[in-house]
Amino acid sequence: MEVKLALESEWEACFEPNSYGFRPGRSCHDAIGQIYLSINKLPKYVLDADIEKCFDQINHKALLSKLNTFPTMRKQLAQWLQAGVIDEGQFLATSEDTPQGGVISPLLANIALHGMESLVKQVSKTACLVRYADDFVLLDKDITVVHRCKQVIEEFLMGMGLRLKESKTHISHTLHKYEEKVGFDFLGFNINIRQYKVGKTHYGKLGGHGISRILDFVTHIKPSKEALKKHTNKVGEIIHSHKDASQMVLIKHLNPVIRGWCNYYSCVVSKGIFTKADLNTYQQLRAWVVRRKRRKNLTKVMKKYFHAVNGRKWVFSTREDNNPFKLLKYADTCIVRHKKVVGEKSPYDGDNIYWSSRMGQNPELSKEVVILLKTQKGRCTHCRLLFKDEDKLEIDHIMRISQGGINSVKNKQLLHRHCHDYKIARDLQVVGNQELERYIVQNPF
């Protein structure tokens, strides 16, 4: 782990900006965000590729030659790479791969693949390569540039002992009017990224100033039909495995699965897919109920398991009147756009304010400050300006302890030092005026 932290902090300073897999502070949603920025309202050709057995065929000599580190550490890494593994009681030599399951393996794979984006930029400044671990997409409006970049990438991978997997490598286009394969799935997470022509009657705003123009294309990013199918099958398996369980037990097993799937797709255009998922789940639960009717009236049995909750009918829930235990509804998930990580930023660059606001954790700041930074999205609640790393920050009680406020993070806010001084001065001016104090508590600034 110590070696990984040492190498990671060094390589995070030089990794390419559009590399997102197995890196701290970066996720697949950042990769999707970069693709959206690249193809938004601009049709492009797409090279969707996968590296065959990336972790199993990396050339050790080529990998070690890229490590500009101490000879002792390089020697230690070489010994780890060639140590071999024991699989089902049999020793297997490892002459050309990274340690399976090792904490340092993803980092070594990223180091081995470092340089692909720079080579693509040498071929064409307009080409965009987005990589997540061993999966990547290449985007450009010129098909000849895409083919040339593919050749350059294959030559680069050959030097590392790798090659593209032909069965998962293909060229498509993002525009819906093309008869060939349209759009593409990325990362194996079944996300479709497509563009559709907009008719002449569709207008869009420019900069919010009331100026309208015709939009030629609209980029849609949403879960694919295959993703919905896999999730529906998983939900069906859970329901089938609990065919004799109580309703509460079934709901407790379904809710985490539904919540996790919805949270993953909550940053793209998913409302339509969520509505379909609700329908699919309802049909599966109805079949679960029908199996239990045992010659009873179906309507009566359905009313036993589906109730009206908060004005909504046919909610799969228990009969508890005040606080029913109910199944989560997909369509209730709020769509919140993911904010892509900025350029080449890294958690090791010393920008504590940015990474605390983004990740909600930082070893150099107190837990309370980090929570408030993330809750306030890095902004001061008084002046509404973003905090900077050199700013002096202070924690303030929204409602003073002397006035009945609690010493909890829910009753605290993070302010600039000068904003905090202003609030204290204002509070001192209204001491004793209970009506004005109540107004200030309700309207802090």
Side-chain angles (χ1 to χ4, degrees), residues 227-242 250 253-254 256-258 260-261 281 284 330:
L228 177 60
K229 182 179 178 181
K230 288 183 178 180
H231 177 69
T232 302
N233 291 339
K234 184 175 182 179
V235 170
E237 291 174 0
I238 295 174
I239 294 175
H240 180 73
S241 62
H242 292 81
L250 177 59
H253 281 82
L254 286 177
V257 176
I258 295 174
W261 195 79
T281 304
Q284 290 175 318
Y330 293 83

Side-chain angles (χ1 to χ4, degrees), residues 282-299:
Y282 168 78
Q283 291 174 340
Q284 290 175 318
L285 291 173
R286 186 178 183 277
W288 181 82
V289 171
V290 168
R291 182 183 177 277
R292 293 180 166 228
K293 72 176 185 176
R294 297 176 183 175
R295 298 182 181 179
K296 296 179 182 179
N297 183 275
L298 178 58
T299 303

